[in-house]
Amino acid sequence: LQIVADNRRKNVANFLRAHQLASQAQVLETQRYGEPWYFAVYGDFSSADQAAAAIKRLPAAVRDEGPFPRKVEKVRSSLVKSP
């Protein structure tokens, strides 16, 4: 699941800490309109139904951010490659 995104890594990290998800989520970097963009992914689910059920178990404030399932392939293809 992608649970939050922002143009500042610090904002994503603070959000995860505030909702006790920092140890359960991973912050990744991509590019959006040529600028760094950070997003947090949470969980590893074998089906869309499992991912949908996990969204329902997230805290309300996290659900309010609009988390959505993302396929691993899409996440990998969007990552910024290290030089």
Side-chain angles (χ1 to χ4, degrees):
L1 299 176
Q2 178 174 320
I3 56 175
V4 66
D6 196 279
N7 64 340
R8 293 190 174 154
R9 180 185 293 269
K10 183 178 181 178
N11 291 346
V12 174
N14 288 343
F15 179 88
L16 294 175
R17 276 193 297 280
H19 299 289
Q20 290 84 40
L21 294 171
S23 65
Q24 301 167 54
Q26 185 176 6
V27 178
L28 303 171
E29 180 181 352
T30 189
Q31 293 282 312
R32 185 174 185 207
Y33 306 116
E35 299 291 329
W37 186 251
Y38 304 95
F39 62 99
V41 292
Y42 169 85
D44 184 13
F45 307 100
S46 59
S47 71
D49 288 340
Q50 284 184 347
I55 290 171
K56 292 177 184 175
R57 292 190 301 270
L58 291 169
V62 177
R63 290 192 313 268
D64 289 347
E65 290 295 315
F68 61 93
R70 269 188 95 177
K71 293 189 180 236
V72 172
E73 299 82 25
K74 292 280 188 179
V75 171
R76 285 187 184 137
S77 68
S78 74
L79 297 179
V80 171
K81 309 292 187 269
S82 298

